[in-house]
Amino acid sequence: MQHVRMVVWRAVYLGSGWCLVALTVCALGLLAGRWTGWWPSPYPEAVDLAGVPILLTYAVWMQQRVDRDKWNAARGDSPHRETSLEELDGLGHEEFEFAVRDLLRRDGLAAERVGGANDDVCDVRAVDLDRRIWAVQCKHRRDGTRGDAVDVRVVRELKGTAGEVHKATFAVIVTNGKFTSKAVPQARMLGVHLVGRNLLAQWASGRPLWELLEHVPPPLRHSADRRRVAT
């Protein structure tokens, strides 16, 4: 159901932009005819009342588009905050949770560490600008891939709490180690995303997390829009 709502929301969000463009073109035509007199309107006040707000809305929308382009250009030209796997390997488990939180914040999400004795299998909870909730379970291995592999039990536990308890759109397990051979197909079947050592290296090097996960579209809303992230 959450996936259906997300697809509908994305369709509405994308369609609203094109509707605004179409309304703006119509408003421009009506206002031009009204102000020049070549297309007199029987209801001139109604044209002004409707057309001017549409033009103002379009101007704000276009400014947001410009802000996005500038933000993307600045982000592309500047080095991303990078963390090496060696640094992550040297952290304690709690420090690793904070590091994952910081990576999510770098990607533009509102993220908080909630790990502890009663965390309901969620060490980091994050919300992106589309109000999608991310429930993240962190499994640090000091010996990296030589340490114990994350097993299928962790996958099932996160699946059991991500939706029911945390109302999460995405359930993610992050480790600097590896997963067992049973955990990988089980996670795929249950819709739990696995970030092992290789993906973690790419994420830590600067790529946003949603680019690395299958079937996770990027947020439609954007940091440059200056909208407050829902918490």
Side-chain angles (χ1 to χ4, degrees), residues 63-79:
Q63 184 59 50
Q64 288 183 346
R65 293 286 297 270
V66 172
D67 289 342
R68 284 186 178 215
D69 292 341
K70 290 181 179 178
W71 189 90
N72 283 330
R75 187 172 185 270
D77 294 339
S78 62

Side-chain angles (χ1 to χ4, degrees), residues 138-194:
C138 303
K139 292 296 181 183
H140 184 263
R141 298 292 184 260
R142 185 167 296 277
D143 295 327
T145 55
R146 295 190 301 275
D148 293 338
V150 180
D151 61 24
V152 69
R153 174 184 55 83
V154 179
V155 175
R156 292 170 178 163
E157 288 177 349
L158 179 58
K159 178 61 179 178
T161 61
E164 293 296 324
V165 178
H166 304 291
K167 309 303 180 186
T169 310
F170 305 115
V172 185
I173 301 174
V174 180
T175 181
N176 63 322
K178 60 185 178 181
F179 297 94
T180 65
S181 58
K182 291 184 178 180
V184 174
Q186 185 75 14
R188 187 176 295 113
M189 183 181 71
L190 296 177
V192 175
H193 298 280
L194 303 183

